[in-house]
Amino acid sequence: MEDRSNVNPDYDINTSTYDWSVRVFRQIKKLLKVRITLHGSPEIIDHGHIFLFNHFARFETFIPQYLMYEARKVYCCSVASAEFFEQEDSVLAGFLRDVGVIPNNYPRLLPWLAEQILLGRKVVIFPEGGMVKDRRVLDHRGRYSIYSRVSMDRRKHHTGAAVLAIGLEIFKMAVRRAEHQGDLKRISAWAEAIGLESRETLLTAAHQPTIVVPANITFYPIRVNEHILSSGAELLSRGLSRRAAEEILIEGNILLRNTDMDIQFGHPVIASARWHHWETWLAKWVVPRIAAIDDVFAVTRRPADARERLLAGRLRQRAQIIRNKYMREMYQAVTVNLSHLASTLIMDRARRNRIEIDRTQFFRSLYLAIKHTQVLPHVHLHRSLQNPDDYRDLLEGEHSGLHELLETAKASGLIEIHPGHYRLLPKLLQEHEFDEIRIENVIAVYANEVEPMSGIMDAVKRAVSAEKKVGDRELANLRFDDEVRSWRWDLRHQAKNTPDLGGHPITAGVTPRPFFLKARSHNGGGIILIHELLASPAELRGFGQHLADLGFHALGIRLKGHGTSPYDLKDRRWEDWLDSLRRGYDIMKSYGSRIYIVGAGVGGLLALQLASEQPERLAGIAAVSPPFKFSASGPMAPLLRSTSILIRWMARRTGRPFVERTPEYPQYAYREVPLRSLYELRRLAHEVEEHLSDVQCPVLLAQADRDPILAPESSRTIYKALGSKNKILRSIHADRHNILVEDIGGIRDIVIRFLTRDAPAG
C-alpha cells in the first residue's frame, strides 16, 4: 500500500472500499438487463489521464469507473454535486469520499484532481455538468450548447476538464524547469507534498503529455413504456414529481429491459498540442513563481500582474479551444443504431412538411441509409447496423426493433400508422419541457443524438433520394455486400466467444469469404455454387472463376455457421443453411435470366430442397455427392447410427460436442465435426426425401463409385424419386467424396456440359 501520510485524509480513495464496491456492482450488474460494452483498446485507459463522458442517465455516474477498473485495475476519481456532501458525517458522504468522489465546491478541486493524476489515478468528468435528456447539443446555428436546468436556458459546456489539463501541463513545465536547473530539492518537496514515493516518479510524470480522452455512452433502445418500478412508484407516492417519475420510467426501462449500453472512446486530445510559441513563453515566465501545484490554478483566478492577467486570458481561450475539441470528439463517438437513422429520416420529413410516408419507401430508404452509413469513415456502428441478420428484413418491410420504435411513436401521438403508409403529426416538431422530452418525443431524442454527425444526415438524405431510382442490380450488389458483412460479423463474434479448440478452426491463407464473379461476356446465365458441409466458398472459387470465363455470373454463397468456427456451426439448423441459399438466389435473380445451382455434398441436398419449391427462373441443378444414404462401413457410420437420440442429446450439452476428423481438403474445412450438424444433416435428408417428387427442373446427379462416405445407391435413390423428366445420373470412377474440388474424374466438364446444353454461345 502506498504511503499517503502527507495527503489530506478527508478526500482520498480508500482502496478497500473501492474494491468491495466494484465487487458489489459486479453482482448487481448480473441482475440487470443492460448489456454494458466498452469498445476499443483498453490500452487507451493506460495512456489517458482525464476521461470525459456524456450524461443521459443518473446510474451512469459510477459505470465508467467500474469498467475502467475491470479493464485495467485502475482507480478513478470523479466530481459530484456538493448536495451529496452537505451532511459530512453521513454514510453516503463517507462512502463517496472513499471511492474517490469529491464535491464540486471543494476549494482545492482542480489542484486535488491534478495530484490524483500525478499519483497514477484517472479522473472521470461529465463536462456537460448534468443530464442531457433531450440529447440536443447543437443550437439553431450549429454551435455546441446544452440546456441548463438552473438558468432554464442554453449554455456552453463546462471548461473544467480543459482548465485541469492545462494547469497540469504548466505544473509539469515547472517540474521540468527545476530538473533542468538541478533543483532536486524542490522536486522532492513537490513529490512529498503530492504523496509520491519519490521525485523520480514525479519526473517521469512530468515528461508525459496530459491526455484527455473523450468518450460517448449510447443507449439502445430507449423505451418509454411502463414497468414494475414505475408502477410501484406510482402506487407508493401519488405526489411523485414529474422529474422523478420520468427518470424512474426511462432509466428503469434501461436497467430492467434488454438494453445495450455502448461506450466508445473518441480520439484523445493532448492538452499541450498546438500551443503558440508566445503562449509557451508566457507560461514559462510564470513557472518560476510556482511554489505549489495550487499556484498554477491561482493564476487564472487571481492573476498577480499584467503578465499573469495576459496569461490567464489566453489560458481561458485555450481552455475553450480544448473544450470544443474534446466535446466534438465526444459527440462524434456516438454508437449509431437503426433508431437514429429512422428518427433522422422522420424528423427531416417533418421539418420539410412531408407528412405522408409510404411504408415500402420508408423501409427501403432505411435499408439504403444503413448501407450509406456503413461506408462512412470513423463512425461507430451498433450491431443493429453491423450484422445483416438484424436489418436485412427491411427490404421485405419487416423489422421488430423498428416496429417497437414506431409503436412507441404512435402511442406518444407523434405518428399515425396506416396499412400502407405513416402520417407524421404536428407533435413531432413541438417544443417540450426538459423533463418531458424523453417520454413525449423519443424520435427527437434519437435524432438530436446524431445531429452533430453531419455524415448521418447526408446518408439519410442520399438514401431518400436514391430509393426511387435504385435498380434491382444495385440492390443485389448491396445484398451481396450484406453476405460478406455477415461472414465478417460471425467471424468477429466467434473470435471473441470461441474456446480454444487446440487447433485452428479454419486454415489461414484461404479466405472463406463469399464471392460473386461476374462474366465479362455474359451468356444470360447465373450459377450459384454451394460448398460442402464443414467447408466454405473457398473450395469452389476456382471452379467459379472458370464458369465466369465461360460467360456465367458465378455466386459462391456461404452457408451459415461455416468459414468461422465449429462453435458457430454447432448452433445452426439446416433451415439456416437453406436461408443462405435463398438469399443467394434472390441476389442472382437480378443478374441471370436462367439460374442454375451447383452443390457439393450437403450443398446438393440444399439445391434439391430449394428446387422442390420451384422458384422462378431455375433452369437446373447439379448435385454432386449429395449425402442421402451413408456407407455402413464409412467414417461417418458410427456417428450416424442412432443419431436421433445420441446427437440430439449431445447437441444440448454445454461441453465440447465435437468429434475430430481429418478432412479431405483441410485447407478449406473444419477439423472438428459438431455432432449437432450431423443431426441437422439427417433432418435435411429426411426433408428432401419428402419433396423429391416436387422437383421439376432438370437435374444432374453425380457420385463417386467408391465414395468413402456415401452408400453406392445414395444418388440412385434420389434419381428414382425425382419428379423431373430431364434428369441425369453419372457415376465417377474415384475413391473420394468431394470430387468437385479437384475435378476428379472430369466432373467439372460433366457439370459444364449440363449447364451449357441450352445456353447460347458466349
Side-chain angles (χ1 to χ4, degrees), residues 407-454:
E407 286 296 327
T408 298
K410 175 185 175 182
S412 300
L414 303 172
I415 66 172
E416 291 177 355
I417 299 178
H418 299 280
H421 70 280
Y422 304 108
R423 183 176 180 83
L424 309 185
L425 301 179
K427 186 179 177 182
L428 274 167
L429 300 180
Q430 290 177 4
E431 291 291 330
H432 296 279
E433 292 187 19
F434 188 69
D435 291 318
E436 291 182 342
I437 184 70
R438 295 194 294 188
I439 294 176
E440 297 295 336
N441 196 343
V442 69
I443 298 293
V445 173
Y446 274 122
N448 288 342
E449 191 169 21
V450 292
E451 187 180 6
M453 308 173 71
S454 59

Side-chain angles (χ1 to χ4, degrees), residues 228-299:
I228 189 170
L229 283 185
S230 57
S231 301
E234 184 177 352
L235 289 173
L236 293 174
S237 177
R238 295 293 181 181
L240 200 65
S241 71
R242 181 170 54 189
R243 173 181 173 182
E246 185 266 356
E247 290 174 4
I248 290 174
L249 179 65
I250 298 298
E251 297 176 34
N253 272 309
I254 291 174
L255 291 170
L256 300 178
R257 296 183 175 171
N258 290 331
T259 305
D260 287 347
M261 178 179 178
D262 291 281
I263 303 178
Q264 299 277 1
F265 289 125
H267 293 294
V269 176
I270 300 176
S272 59
R274 297 185 180 179
W275 279 38
H276 296 298
H277 68 278
W278 58 271
E279 292 176 318
T280 305
W281 178 83
L282 278 174
K284 287 183 177 179
W285 188 87
V286 174
V287 158
R289 305 183 184 188
I290 297 174
I293 197 168
D294 298 63
D295 297 337
V296 175
F297 299 97
V299 170

Side-chain angles (χ1 to χ4, degrees), residues 12 72 92 128 133 155 185 281 321 381 403 409-410 437 444 452 466 473 478 504 512 517 526 623 654 760:
D12 186 31
R72 308 304 277 183
L92 175 60
E128 294 163 332
K133 294 184 177 183
R155 62 164 174 81
K185 182 177 180 181
W281 178 83
I321 293 172
L381 300 179
H403 176 75
K410 175 185 175 182
I437 184 70
R473 287 198 172 186
L478 294 176
H504 299 289
L517 306 174
T654 58

